[in-house]
Amino acid sequence: MTTFSDVGLSPELLQAVADLGYTEPTPIQAQTIPQLLFSDQDVIALAQTGTGKTAAFGLPALQTTDPKNTETQTLVLCPTRELCIQIVRDMEMYAKHLKRINILAVYGGTNIETQIRALKKGAQIVVGTPGRTLDLIKRKKLKLGAVRRVVLDEADEMLSMGFQEDLDSILSHVPGERQTLLFSATMSDRVLSIAKKYMEDPLRFSVARVNAGADNVSHGYYMVNAKDRYELLKRLADVHPGIYGIVFCRTRKDTKEVAAKLMQDGYNADAIHGDLSQSQRDDVMGKFRGRQLQILVATDVAARGLDVNDLTHVINYNLPDDPEVYVHRSGRTGRAGKSGASLSIIHSREQRKIRDIERSSGIKFKQLVAPSGSEICQTQLLSLIDKVKAVEVDEKQIKPFLPEIYKKLEGLDRETLIKHFVSAEFNRFLAYYRNARDLNISGKKSRKEREERGGRNASKFKRVFVSVGKRDGLNPARLIGLVNELFRSDEFSIGKIEVLKNFSFIELEKDVADLFVNGVSHLEFEGVPVNVEYAEELHGSGKRSSKQNARKKRFTGGYGGRRSRSDRGGSGHRKGKGRASSRKGRKNKNKD
Ligand code: AMP
């Protein structure tokens, strides 16, 4: 086993790591520390947050700092304010037994004058975000002439946040005779290109498989209809009563909506997104760190650099398009040796994204079954019982009330009392989940299965006439697409489909058919207004009604050949703006 003395740390630093309870170096520390202490070769380390990378570069940076020289000797660049603060906090703990070493964080969003004053006093180690660092260099307040080591922390994040140009400018101010260290969770081409540009014959370390997620994180996904995402999120929160996690959404709008709904439904949740001011953001983050909030709903951008250990869950309310982003998200749980779960909520068409992530990162996903109502009730009940057992009883406080309480409960035996007490706490919960639906869908197969089921039970369908056909570019798949899109779902059965030259028939579940025929105010296919109506008199016959025959005549015979757009659909029909094309049309017709 390698120890901290084996890697060459000074007694002051050995004492500091012992104070922190670190017993042995993590793999990245065992590889990086001796290299930085005894060589000036450049280093690329593929390491995620949670691997101990801050100490891996922080400890040797402190040990090699000359305390008599107040000039800046090490420059650490990282993507966000939160990460800057975190790095400085960690390094100050490591420097606890060292004298005359100043470590300073410089980042945007706060008063630059304060940072300038601190720089004037001298800071041997400066940890900065690229924007503010460059600003201070340009104002000639941060001088880099004595810098011997540059650390690019979370290099991939800095690049994806668009800091490439700032990095170029900053590095042009640092003497060429420097050691450059690059830490990154992923090794994309962009990261490799900065390595090529700024580093000389770098030594490479890796503590994770290339582009792999942390090993102590389990990856699972639930497949539900898009409309059930929120319901599933709630169930996940309910089935993990001790959850402490981040829910990632794709947009600010989703983030706000999901957080608002969670709060309304009584969860300890809040959101961080780009519309918050720095102080609002600090406030939410403070509450989350202090565990007053259990669930933080965030966009990827807002969550950058957000460094919170001990997260039990990362939930992907939407999967990101970029597999690298998934690796970053899931790397926020399972830190410091703890296990964590990264759960994704997907609908059937997103299975491809899961496969993409598996291919590019080596992560393996498990498909999970959305928790049922009874599963959730059981977990919640047992957690309630655990809480009751663990609660601290303040004898003195409750003593005066007890005689009255005992009197009221007289005649209730232990079992009855337990039942009453559990019901009082739990009835609302039980009622909510009593008839909870099964949210799981099984992907592409399910539509086929549903259709097969539908075929065996055709009477549950209503046959609907649709006024567009092959001539309009329609085919069965596009007709299904038209219906799915209209209802934003593919969770209902579709029976027989016939796409003929000028019009089509589709069998839909009764409710869906009713909505399709009566509830749609305006329907178009490729810019052509579409009429739909029941084909009930012809159910199963494949023939057209006289009304529909008449329509065919008007559409084709009357105008000879292919119709012009304006002649087609509802507008060419005697019924005017017909049933499916506009509610208003229906009203007008009734007035007539
Ligand atoms: P980092 O990857 O730098 O964000 O570190 C993740 C966490 O691991 C931090 O909370 C550190 O305090 C902790 N840590 C770093 N090095 C060690 C170590 N050698 N032993 C135990 N914990 C460590």
Side-chain angles (χ1 to χ4, degrees), residues 4 22 24-26 29 48-55 94 307 309 336:
F4 277 112
Y22 299 179
E24 56 181 305
T26 64
Q29 291 161 3
Q48 298 206 329
T49 312
T51 51
K53 64 185 169 64
T54 314
Y94 305 143
D307 198 66
N309 284 326

